[in-house]
Amino acid sequence: MEGPASTPDKPITLVLMVNLGSPSAPTTSAIRSFLRPFLSDRRVIDVPRPIWLPILYGFILPFRPQRLVGEYAPLWINNMSPLLYHTGRLRERVERSLKDVPQGPTGSEESTNAVIVRMAMRYGEGNTIPIVLKQVHEEHPRITKLVVLPMFPQYTSTTTACIFDEVFRFYLNPWRRCVPGMHLIRDYATNPSYIAAVGDTIIAALSTYFDSIAKGKDLGTGFSQCGDDLVVLLSYHSIPYRYYAEGDDYVQRCEATTAAITAYLSKQAQRDVSNNVVQVYQSKFGRERWLEPFFEDAVIALPRPCDTDENRQRKQEFADHLSRPKLATRQARACIVATPGFAVDCLETVHEVKEEGGELFMENGGRYFAFVPCLNDKNEHSDALVSIVKEYL
């Protein structure tokens, strides 16, 4: 009795780049459709359902989407949110770079695998993880290796872990016969290529500022002459403090990125710039305690002079959160802010940090504020991601 004919399909390695997701349009209904599964995920909000669901369906979903329409609409690029637009272009760059990358030991079966790269979102419509995986398995029956790359440089259970959950859920289907070997990239908080790419964008913004106050200043001289008047804020998305207390190592991963960026800037400036770099968190939601200090507090406290009791108290509270007492008496009127926890720009970076943060900083005594865009679809970003993925091919 003859066995089945061997399939001519070539084995495939799938690289799945996954971001959080975005509304499909800047409309009330699309935003509501996005927020519903996002805020229902227990990885994101783990409040007991009898308490949380009435809040979600009674207060948040009926009203918040309408308020967000005006914030989302100006950000749309070619009928797409900036997150979808930049992630899509970044995927194309990564796939082009990976096409000729050898896999596995020379002569092994893996060394002949073709590499395809797909983009998926954890929440949203049309391009979620199960939809994309189903489509790609139908197009390529012999996917023998899967590399999952969450687009979050620092691990946290609220982002990376919920992506892993959805990938695992897809392959729990007992009727899925060809299950690939899986490589889950936890994060890349200190990857040298990523750190250099972020560091260089910050340096470009610093150079623009130094040129504006005295043309021709090099990086080291600029830091030296600006002194305490200049602050480089590194802002990360906050999470509930309780998650950290229960074992989520997000704080350590953010601190590792901050230390690596600070070391890179110091090396390029040929001087220690750690006094000019401050780590903060943004996007607090609800009344529960979240990781601090907050970005909003930084852009209010730092540019203020120590001339009133209210200002001194604000500055002291901010300094206490960081255990950096010198910040209590320091006035920084020039601010460069970067968001190294975001791979591509989105509502939080452009609206909350660039626009609202910039306004607050200038209103409270600042004289210069510059937002450093995320790496988005820059060549340096795709090169960094390729260097990360290559380790798993």
mmCIF file of all heavy atoms in Angstrom, residues 79-120:
data_model
loop_
_atom_site.group_PDB
_atom_site.id
_atom_site.type_symbol
_atom_site.label_atom_id
_atom_site.label_comp_id
_atom_site.label_asym_id
_atom_site.label_seq_id
_atom_site.Cartn_x
_atom_site.Cartn_y
_atom_site.Cartn_z
ATOM 1 N N ASN A 79 -5.656 57.436 5.481
ATOM 2 C CA ASN A 79 -6.808 56.678 5.987
ATOM 3 C C ASN A 79 -6.421 55.591 6.979
ATOM 4 O O ASN A 79 -7.155 54.607 7.147
ATOM 5 C CB ASN A 79 -7.605 56.060 4.826
ATOM 6 C CG ASN A 79 -8.227 57.114 3.937
ATOM 7 O OD1 ASN A 79 -8.758 58.118 4.416
ATOM 8 N ND2 ASN A 79 -8.155 56.897 2.621
ATOM 9 N N MET A 80 -5.296 55.748 7.634
ATOM 10 C CA MET A 80 -4.862 54.803 8.662
ATOM 11 C C MET A 80 -4.356 55.553 9.884
ATOM 12 O O MET A 80 -3.870 56.675 9.764
ATOM 13 C CB MET A 80 -3.738 53.894 8.128
ATOM 14 C CG MET A 80 -4.174 52.826 7.150
ATOM 15 S SD MET A 80 -2.785 51.742 6.701
ATOM 16 C CE MET A 80 -1.896 52.838 5.588
ATOM 17 N N SER A 81 -4.481 54.905 11.034
ATOM 18 C CA SER A 81 -3.881 55.480 12.233
ATOM 19 C C SER A 81 -2.362 55.453 12.074
ATOM 20 O O SER A 81 -1.829 54.625 11.322
ATOM 21 C CB SER A 81 -4.278 54.667 13.465
ATOM 22 O OG SER A 81 -3.628 53.412 13.458
ATOM 23 N N PRO A 82 -1.640 56.330 12.743
ATOM 24 C CA PRO A 82 -0.180 56.307 12.626
ATOM 25 C C PRO A 82 0.415 54.969 13.045
ATOM 26 O O PRO A 82 1.408 54.519 12.470
ATOM 27 C CB PRO A 82 0.288 57.447 13.537
ATOM 28 C CG PRO A 82 -0.875 57.764 14.417
ATOM 29 C CD PRO A 82 -2.099 57.421 13.626
ATOM 30 N N LEU A 83 -0.185 54.306 14.023
ATOM 31 C CA LEU A 83 0.328 53.013 14.471
ATOM 32 C C LEU A 83 0.244 51.972 13.357
ATOM 33 O O LEU A 83 1.201 51.236 13.082
ATOM 34 C CB LEU A 83 -0.432 52.547 15.707
ATOM 35 C CG LEU A 83 0.050 51.253 16.370
ATOM 36 C CD1 LEU A 83 -0.089 51.345 17.884
ATOM 37 C CD2 LEU A 83 -0.721 50.050 15.862
ATOM 38 N N LEU A 84 -0.904 51.909 12.676
ATOM 39 C CA LEU A 84 -1.058 50.948 11.585
ATOM 40 C C LEU A 84 -0.186 51.325 10.389
ATOM 41 O O LEU A 84 0.430 50.465 9.752
ATOM 42 C CB LEU A 84 -2.524 50.871 11.157
ATOM 43 C CG LEU A 84 -3.486 50.245 12.156
ATOM 44 C CD1 LEU A 84 -4.927 50.374 11.645
ATOM 45 C CD2 LEU A 84 -3.154 48.777 12.383
ATOM 46 N N TYR A 85 -0.121 52.605 10.091
ATOM 47 C CA TYR A 85 0.646 53.075 8.939
ATOM 48 C C TYR A 85 2.138 52.766 9.103
ATOM 49 O O TYR A 85 2.768 52.156 8.226
ATOM 50 C CB TYR A 85 0.438 54.574 8.761
ATOM 51 C CG TYR A 85 1.263 55.194 7.655
ATOM 52 C CD1 TYR A 85 0.874 55.075 6.323
ATOM 53 C CD2 TYR A 85 2.432 55.898 7.941
ATOM 54 C CE1 TYR A 85 1.629 55.649 5.303
ATOM 55 C CE2 TYR A 85 3.198 56.459 6.933
ATOM 56 C CZ TYR A 85 2.782 56.331 5.618
ATOM 57 O OH TYR A 85 3.546 56.877 4.608
ATOM 58 N N HIS A 86 2.707 53.169 10.227
ATOM 59 C CA HIS A 86 4.150 52.970 10.426
ATOM 60 C C HIS A 86 4.509 51.503 10.615
ATOM 61 O O HIS A 86 5.557 51.052 10.132
ATOM 62 C CB HIS A 86 4.635 53.798 11.617
ATOM 63 C CG HIS A 86 4.605 55.276 11.389
ATOM 64 N ND1 HIS A 86 5.281 55.875 10.351
ATOM 65 C CD2 HIS A 86 3.965 56.278 12.072
ATOM 66 C CE1 HIS A 86 5.082 57.191 10.396
ATOM 67 N NE2 HIS A 86 4.294 57.451 11.414
ATOM 68 N N THR A 87 3.661 50.744 11.322
ATOM 69 C CA THR A 87 3.952 49.320 11.517
ATOM 70 C C THR A 87 3.922 48.585 10.187
ATOM 71 O O THR A 87 4.749 47.706 9.931
ATOM 72 C CB THR A 87 2.955 48.684 12.501
ATOM 73 O OG1 THR A 87 2.962 49.408 13.734
ATOM 74 C CG2 THR A 87 3.334 47.236 12.792
ATOM 75 N N GLY A 88 2.972 48.942 9.307
ATOM 76 C CA GLY A 88 2.896 48.313 7.987
ATOM 77 C C GLY A 88 4.125 48.591 7.143
ATOM 78 O O GLY A 88 4.677 47.680 6.507
ATOM 79 N N ARG A 89 4.585 49.825 7.117
ATOM 80 C CA ARG A 89 5.779 50.166 6.352
ATOM 81 C C ARG A 89 7.028 49.527 6.949
ATOM 82 O O ARG A 89 7.924 49.096 6.220
ATOM 83 C CB ARG A 89 5.932 51.689 6.288
ATOM 84 C CG ARG A 89 4.911 52.363 5.380
ATOM 85 C CD ARG A 89 4.953 53.878 5.513
ATOM 86 N NE ARG A 89 6.263 54.421 5.204
ATOM 87 C CZ ARG A 89 6.658 54.798 3.984
ATOM 88 N NH1 ARG A 89 5.852 54.645 2.942
ATOM 89 N NH2 ARG A 89 7.855 55.319 3.800
ATOM 90 N N LEU A 90 7.056 49.440 8.269
ATOM 91 C CA LEU A 90 8.182 48.799 8.936
ATOM 92 C C LEU A 90 8.233 47.314 8.593
ATOM 93 O O LEU A 90 9.317 46.750 8.369
ATOM 94 C CB LEU A 90 8.061 49.010 10.442
ATOM 95 C CG LEU A 90 9.194 48.499 11.331
ATOM 96 C CD1 LEU A 90 10.514 49.157 10.951
ATOM 97 C CD2 LEU A 90 8.868 48.765 12.798
ATOM 98 N N ARG A 91 7.082 46.664 8.555
ATOM 99 C CA ARG A 91 7.024 45.245 8.186
ATOM 100 C C ARG A 91 7.631 45.011 6.804
ATOM 101 O O ARG A 91 8.376 44.056 6.585
ATOM 102 C CB ARG A 91 5.572 44.759 8.198
ATOM 103 C CG ARG A 91 5.423 43.268 7.863
ATOM 104 C CD ARG A 91 4.093 42.951 7.215
ATOM 105 N NE ARG A 91 3.976 43.518 5.874
ATOM 106 C CZ ARG A 91 4.481 42.962 4.788
ATOM 107 N NH1 ARG A 91 5.178 41.826 4.848
ATOM 108 N NH2 ARG A 91 4.326 43.545 3.610
ATOM 109 N N GLU A 92 7.312 45.869 5.851
ATOM 110 C CA GLU A 92 7.841 45.725 4.496
ATOM 111 C C GLU A 92 9.364 45.807 4.493
ATOM 112 O O GLU A 92 10.038 45.031 3.811
ATOM 113 C CB GLU A 92 7.239 46.805 3.596
ATOM 114 C CG GLU A 92 5.733 46.671 3.383
ATOM 115 C CD GLU A 92 5.161 47.851 2.629
ATOM 116 O OE1 GLU A 92 5.941 48.781 2.283
ATOM 117 O OE2 GLU A 92 3.939 47.874 2.391
ATOM 118 N N ARG A 93 9.897 46.736 5.250
ATOM 119 C CA ARG A 93 11.358 46.890 5.314
ATOM 120 C C ARG A 93 12.013 45.661 5.941
ATOM 121 O O ARG A 93 13.047 45.172 5.469
ATOM 122 C CB ARG A 93 11.722 48.141 6.110
ATOM 123 C CG ARG A 93 11.354 49.459 5.429
ATOM 124 C CD ARG A 93 11.819 50.626 6.282
ATOM 125 N NE ARG A 93 11.421 51.900 5.728
ATOM 126 C CZ ARG A 93 12.102 52.564 4.798
ATOM 127 N NH1 ARG A 93 13.233 52.057 4.336
ATOM 128 N NH2 ARG A 93 11.670 53.730 4.339
ATOM 129 N N VAL A 94 11.416 45.159 7.015
ATOM 130 C CA VAL A 94 11.980 43.991 7.692
ATOM 131 C C VAL A 94 11.936 42.778 6.770
ATOM 132 O O VAL A 94 12.909 42.012 6.689
ATOM 133 C CB VAL A 94 11.219 43.712 9.004
ATOM 134 C CG1 VAL A 94 11.639 42.374 9.601
ATOM 135 C CG2 VAL A 94 11.476 44.839 10.011
ATOM 136 N N GLU A 95 10.841 42.586 6.060
ATOM 137 C CA GLU A 95 10.735 41.422 5.177
ATOM 138 C C GLU A 95 11.767 41.478 4.048
ATOM 139 O O GLU A 95 12.399 40.466 3.717
ATOM 140 C CB GLU A 95 9.331 41.324 4.577
ATOM 141 C CG GLU A 95 9.136 40.080 3.721
ATOM 142 C CD GLU A 95 7.696 39.859 3.341
ATOM 143 O OE1 GLU A 95 7.095 40.765 2.723
ATOM 144 O OE2 GLU A 95 7.170 38.775 3.647
ATOM 145 N N ARG A 96 11.958 42.662 3.477
ATOM 146 C CA ARG A 96 12.969 42.787 2.417
ATOM 147 C C ARG A 96 14.356 42.428 2.932
ATOM 148 O O ARG A 96 15.138 41.775 2.259
ATOM 149 C CB ARG A 96 12.964 44.217 1.848
ATOM 150 C CG ARG A 96 11.810 44.519 0.916
ATOM 151 C CD ARG A 96 12.081 45.753 0.081
ATOM 152 N NE ARG A 96 12.242 46.953 0.902
ATOM 153 C CZ ARG A 96 11.256 47.772 1.222
ATOM 154 N NH1 ARG A 96 10.021 47.517 0.811
ATOM 155 N NH2 ARG A 96 11.471 48.839 1.957
ATOM 156 N N SER A 97 14.656 42.846 4.153
ATOM 157 C CA SER A 97 15.985 42.595 4.714
ATOM 158 C C SER A 97 16.196 41.134 5.097
ATOM 159 O O SER A 97 17.328 40.646 5.096
ATOM 160 C CB SER A 97 16.205 43.480 5.948
ATOM 161 O OG SER A 97 16.156 44.849 5.611
ATOM 162 N N LEU A 98 15.109 40.433 5.435
ATOM 163 C CA LEU A 98 15.230 39.051 5.903
ATOM 164 C C LEU A 98 15.207 38.018 4.784
ATOM 165 O O LEU A 98 15.493 36.842 5.029
ATOM 166 C CB LEU A 98 14.106 38.728 6.898
ATOM 167 C CG LEU A 98 14.230 39.336 8.297
ATOM 168 C CD1 LEU A 98 12.983 39.002 9.105
ATOM 169 C CD2 LEU A 98 15.478 38.830 9.004
ATOM 170 N N LYS A 99 14.891 38.423 3.580
ATOM 171 C CA LYS A 99 14.726 37.457 2.499
ATOM 172 C C LYS A 99 15.985 36.642 2.236
ATOM 173 O O LYS A 99 15.915 35.457 1.906
ATOM 174 C CB LYS A 99 14.277 38.167 1.216
ATOM 175 C CG LYS A 99 12.773 38.425 1.178
ATOM 176 C CD LYS A 99 12.332 38.953 -0.175
ATOM 177 C CE LYS A 99 10.811 39.073 -0.220
ATOM 178 N NZ LYS A 99 10.339 39.600 -1.533
ATOM 179 N N ASP A 100 17.129 37.247 2.360
ATOM 180 C CA ASP A 100 18.376 36.559 2.036
ATOM 181 C C ASP A 100 19.171 36.139 3.274
ATOM 182 O O ASP A 100 20.346 35.793 3.172
ATOM 183 C CB ASP A 100 19.257 37.463 1.151
ATOM 184 C CG ASP A 100 18.571 37.816 -0.163
ATOM 185 O OD1 ASP A 100 17.896 36.933 -0.714
ATOM 186 O OD2 ASP A 100 18.725 38.961 -0.602
ATOM 187 N N VAL A 101 18.515 36.170 4.441
ATOM 188 C CA VAL A 101 19.218 35.787 5.663
ATOM 189 C C VAL A 101 19.220 34.267 5.797
ATOM 190 O O VAL A 101 18.161 33.633 5.763
ATOM 191 C CB VAL A 101 18.544 36.414 6.899
ATOM 192 C CG1 VAL A 101 19.173 35.881 8.176
ATOM 193 C CG2 VAL A 101 18.658 37.930 6.851
ATOM 194 N N PRO A 102 20.386 33.613 5.915
ATOM 195 C CA PRO A 102 20.425 32.158 6.075
ATOM 196 C C PRO A 102 19.843 31.739 7.419
ATOM 197 O O PRO A 102 19.928 32.458 8.407
ATOM 198 C CB PRO A 102 21.923 31.834 5.993
ATOM 199 C CG PRO A 102 22.600 33.094 6.411
ATOM 200 C CD PRO A 102 21.730 34.212 5.919
ATOM 201 N N GLN A 103 19.253 30.515 7.447
ATOM 202 C CA GLN A 103 18.635 30.008 8.661
ATOM 203 C C GLN A 103 19.236 28.680 9.058
ATOM 204 O O GLN A 103 19.486 27.839 8.206
ATOM 205 C CB GLN A 103 17.139 29.811 8.450
ATOM 206 C CG GLN A 103 16.388 31.066 8.045
ATOM 207 C CD GLN A 103 14.927 30.745 7.875
ATOM 208 O OE1 GLN A 103 14.254 30.350 8.807
ATOM 209 N NE2 GLN A 103 14.439 30.897 6.668
ATOM 210 N N GLY A 104 19.413 28.479 10.327
ATOM 211 C CA GLY A 104 19.877 27.198 10.830
ATOM 212 C C GLY A 104 21.258 26.844 10.315
ATOM 213 O O GLY A 104 21.887 27.588 9.549
ATOM 214 N N PRO A 105 21.752 25.676 10.704
ATOM 215 C CA PRO A 105 23.068 25.219 10.234
ATOM 216 C C PRO A 105 23.065 25.016 8.727
ATOM 217 O O PRO A 105 22.066 24.618 8.128
ATOM 218 C CB PRO A 105 23.253 23.888 10.976
ATOM 219 C CG PRO A 105 22.299 23.934 12.122
ATOM 220 C CD PRO A 105 21.146 24.759 11.670
ATOM 221 N N THR A 106 24.193 25.287 8.091
ATOM 222 C CA THR A 106 24.310 25.092 6.654
ATOM 223 C C THR A 106 24.014 23.644 6.290
ATOM 224 O O THR A 106 24.530 22.712 6.894
ATOM 225 C CB THR A 106 25.729 25.454 6.172
ATOM 226 O OG1 THR A 106 26.004 26.805 6.553
ATOM 227 C CG2 THR A 106 25.834 25.310 4.670
ATOM 228 N N GLY A 107 23.149 23.470 5.275
ATOM 229 C CA GLY A 107 22.803 22.131 4.830
ATOM 230 C C GLY A 107 21.623 21.522 5.550
ATOM 231 O O GLY A 107 21.111 20.482 5.142
ATOM 232 N N SER A 108 21.158 22.142 6.644
ATOM 233 C CA SER A 108 20.000 21.618 7.358
ATOM 234 C C SER A 108 18.730 21.970 6.609
ATOM 235 O O SER A 108 18.714 22.825 5.729
ATOM 236 C CB SER A 108 19.938 22.202 8.770
ATOM 237 O OG SER A 108 19.667 23.598 8.708
ATOM 238 N N GLU A 109 17.638 21.304 6.979
ATOM 239 C CA GLU A 109 16.363 21.599 6.322
ATOM 240 C C GLU A 109 15.962 23.044 6.550
ATOM 241 O O GLU A 109 15.446 23.706 5.666
ATOM 242 C CB GLU A 109 15.269 20.668 6.859
ATOM 243 C CG GLU A 109 13.923 20.901 6.191
ATOM 244 C CD GLU A 109 12.828 19.989 6.725
ATOM 245 O OE1 GLU A 109 13.127 19.165 7.599
ATOM 246 O OE2 GLU A 109 11.694 20.102 6.249
ATOM 247 N N GLU A 110 16.244 23.556 7.767
ATOM 248 C CA GLU A 110 15.875 24.928 8.088
ATOM 249 C C GLU A 110 16.586 25.936 7.203
ATOM 250 O O GLU A 110 16.070 27.021 6.942
ATOM 251 C CB GLU A 110 16.191 25.231 9.556
ATOM 252 C CG GLU A 110 15.234 24.587 10.531
ATOM 253 C CD GLU A 110 15.517 25.040 11.942
ATOM 254 O OE1 GLU A 110 16.640 25.535 12.182
ATOM 255 O OE2 GLU A 110 14.641 24.894 12.799
ATOM 256 N N SER A 111 17.773 25.577 6.723
ATOM 257 C CA SER A 111 18.551 26.532 5.937
ATOM 258 C C SER A 111 17.888 26.850 4.609
ATOM 259 O O SER A 111 18.267 27.821 3.952
ATOM 260 C CB SER A 111 19.969 25.999 5.706
ATOM 261 O OG SER A 111 19.952 24.856 4.866
ATOM 262 N N THR A 112 16.910 26.031 4.203
ATOM 263 C CA THR A 112 16.223 26.285 2.932
ATOM 264 C C THR A 112 14.871 26.972 3.136
ATOM 265 O O THR A 112 14.162 27.237 2.168
ATOM 266 C CB THR A 112 16.008 24.963 2.175
ATOM 267 O OG1 THR A 112 15.124 24.118 2.926
ATOM 268 C CG2 THR A 112 17.325 24.254 1.942
ATOM 269 N N ASN A 113 14.479 27.204 4.372
ATOM 270 C CA ASN A 113 13.184 27.844 4.638
ATOM 271 C C ASN A 113 13.113 29.231 4.000
ATOM 272 O O ASN A 113 14.061 30.013 4.057
ATOM 273 C CB ASN A 113 12.945 27.989 6.135
ATOM 274 C CG ASN A 113 12.410 26.736 6.775
ATOM 275 O OD1 ASN A 113 12.647 25.633 6.284
ATOM 276 N ND2 ASN A 113 11.691 26.893 7.879
ATOM 277 N N ALA A 114 11.952 29.520 3.406
ATOM 278 C CA ALA A 114 11.671 30.878 2.963
ATOM 279 C C ALA A 114 11.134 31.658 4.167
ATOM 280 O O ALA A 114 10.458 31.100 5.031
ATOM 281 C CB ALA A 114 10.653 30.859 1.839
ATOM 282 N N VAL A 115 11.459 32.946 4.233
ATOM 283 C CA VAL A 115 11.011 33.783 5.340
ATOM 284 C C VAL A 115 9.931 34.735 4.861
ATOM 285 O O VAL A 115 10.119 35.441 3.862
ATOM 286 C CB VAL A 115 12.174 34.596 5.942
ATOM 287 C CG1 VAL A 115 11.683 35.471 7.101
ATOM 288 C CG2 VAL A 115 13.281 33.671 6.419
ATOM 289 N N ILE A 116 8.811 34.740 5.556
ATOM 290 C CA ILE A 116 7.777 35.732 5.288
ATOM 291 C C ILE A 116 7.513 36.496 6.579
ATOM 292 O O ILE A 116 7.669 35.961 7.680
ATOM 293 C CB ILE A 116 6.471 35.094 4.761
ATOM 294 C CG1 ILE A 116 5.913 34.100 5.769
ATOM 295 C CG2 ILE A 116 6.704 34.428 3.410
ATOM 296 C CD1 ILE A 116 4.557 33.539 5.381
ATOM 297 N N VAL A 117 7.149 37.748 6.442
ATOM 298 C CA VAL A 117 6.904 38.608 7.601
ATOM 299 C C VAL A 117 5.488 39.151 7.495
ATOM 300 O O VAL A 117 5.083 39.664 6.451
ATOM 301 C CB VAL A 117 7.905 39.782 7.660
ATOM 302 C CG1 VAL A 117 7.647 40.640 8.902
ATOM 303 C CG2 VAL A 117 9.340 39.263 7.674
ATOM 304 N N ARG A 118 4.744 39.011 8.554
ATOM 305 C CA ARG A 118 3.378 39.510 8.588
ATOM 306 C C ARG A 118 3.179 40.412 9.793
ATOM 307 O O ARG A 118 3.837 40.261 10.824
ATOM 308 C CB ARG A 118 2.371 38.355 8.634
ATOM 309 C CG ARG A 118 2.348 37.510 7.369
ATOM 310 C CD ARG A 118 1.804 38.281 6.188
ATOM 311 N NE ARG A 118 1.730 37.452 4.990
ATOM 312 C CZ ARG A 118 2.693 37.369 4.073
ATOM 313 N NH1 ARG A 118 3.818 38.061 4.245
ATOM 314 N NH2 ARG A 118 2.554 36.615 3.005
ATOM 315 N N MET A 119 2.251 41.329 9.662
ATOM 316 C CA MET A 119 1.897 42.253 10.736
ATOM 317 C C MET A 119 0.553 41.836 11.307
ATOM 318 O O MET A 119 -0.372 41.506 10.561
ATOM 319 C CB MET A 119 1.813 43.675 10.195
ATOM 320 C CG MET A 119 1.288 44.708 11.182
ATOM 321 S SD MET A 119 1.011 46.339 10.403
ATOM 322 C CE MET A 119 -0.534 46.058 9.523
ATOM 323 N N ALA A 120 0.440 41.836 12.618
ATOM 324 C CA ALA A 120 -0.840 41.554 13.270
ATOM 325 C C ALA A 120 -1.025 42.504 14.438
ATOM 326 O O ALA A 120 -0.067 43.103 14.934
ATOM 327 C CB ALA A 120 -0.895 40.106 13.742
#
